[in-house]
Amino acid sequence: MEKNHNLTKEIIARDLKNLNDKLFHMLNYSSLKEISDLILEESTRLTCSKYCYVAFVDPKNGDSVGISFSHLTTGCQYYADLGEARFKIRKDGTYGGLLGYSLDTGESFFTHDPKNHPVAHGLPPGHEPIEQFLSVAVKHEGEILGQIVLANPEEKYGPEDLEIAEKIANNYGLALKEIIHQK
């Protein structure tokens, strides 16, 4: 797990352990928003990404609910004020598009050409350009509970970035299971 920047393999391993410990302690006194904000902060920092979207799957209706996210459109402030950006699950049980791909398949992936990815259907008007894209389904015991999406890293995404994001997603999955799915 090597990175192309100042974070060494040892620093990344230490920071991932610290994140796990911090999340464990936060479960007793923090909101889902505070935990998701930490996931966003650490995901962007450890992968050197400019943008991030952290979501959970609403257990009541299956919607993907972004609770912590970078502001990529003028409408993002509206969603931030609302407290969430909700993407409804379609009638066929999928989310569709590049944003929904890891939720639909359960697979983590990255692409250096998101515009031409087979499931991409474009960006909304006024959206910041996305040059690279990485998405990880957040799972616990095989159940998809959420998603972490990253975009526009300082350097090209590689397998090490996917590995980092998956480790963060494992921790977030434990937190989601405890906070949302145990209530």
Side-chain angles (χ1 to χ4, degrees), residues 112-133:
H112 298 137
D113 189 14
K115 290 178 214 159
N116 294 311
H117 191 278
V119 299
H121 53 70
L123 295 172
H127 196 286
E128 291 288 327
I130 301 298
E131 306 301 328
Q132 291 189 57
F133 185 91

Side-chain angles (χ1 to χ4, degrees), residues 63-97:
D63 292 349
S64 175
V65 183
I67 192 161
S68 299
F69 46 87
S70 304
H71 291 210
L72 300 174
T73 70
T74 55
C76 285
Q77 188 56 51
Y78 166 79
Y79 294 113
D81 293 344
L82 190 62
E84 65 181 40
R86 188 171 287 266
F87 293 92
K88 301 234 179 251
I89 192 165
R90 300 184 312 190
K91 289 180 182 174
D92 68 0
T94 66
Y95 299 91

Side-chain angles (χ1 to χ4, degrees), residues 36-173:
S36 296
D37 285 349
L38 177 63
I39 295 297
L40 181 143
E41 179 183 318
E42 289 301 298
S43 296
T44 54
R45 184 178 70 80
L46 291 172
T47 62
C48 295
S49 297
K50 187 172 183 182
Y51 305 123
C52 185
Y53 171 80
V54 179
F56 69 91
V57 174
D58 188 328
K60 293 178 183 152
N61 59 23
D63 292 349
S64 175
V65 183
I67 192 161
S68 299
F69 46 87
S70 304
H71 291 210
L72 300 174
T73 70
T74 55
C76 285
Q77 188 56 51
Y78 166 79
Y79 294 113
D81 293 344
L82 190 62
E84 65 181 40
R86 188 171 287 266
F87 293 92
K88 301 234 179 251
I89 192 165
R90 300 184 312 190
K91 289 180 182 174
D92 68 0
T94 66
Y95 299 91
L98 197 59
L99 185 63
Y101 188 70
S102 66
L103 291 172
D104 292 340
T105 64
E107 295 176 21
S108 303
F109 74 101
F110 64 89
T111 177
H112 298 137
D113 189 14
K115 290 178 214 159
N116 294 311
H117 191 278
V119 299
H121 53 70
L123 295 172
H127 196 286
E128 291 288 327
I130 301 298
E131 306 301 328
Q132 291 189 57
F133 185 91
L134 182 150
S135 182
V136 176
V138 174
K139 301 183 220 175
H140 181 73
E141 296 178 353
E143 180 183 5
I144 297 174
L145 303 178
Q147 176 183 37
I148 299 172
V149 176
L150 296 154
N152 295 6
E154 292 174 3
E155 299 179 19
K156 285 188 172 192
Y157 285 130
E160 67 279 354
D161 298 295
L162 206 56
E163 183 180 346
I164 290 166
E166 287 175 334
K167 288 182 181 202
I168 293 170
N170 288 339
N171 290 327
Y172 189 49

Side-chain angles (χ1 to χ4, degrees), residues 14 16-26 171:
R14 181 202 66 206
L16 288 169
K17 183 188 179 320
N18 289 343
L19 173 62
N20 182 45
D21 294 345
K22 189 169 189 175
L23 283 172
F24 177 77
H25 293 296
M26 288 177 73
N171 290 327

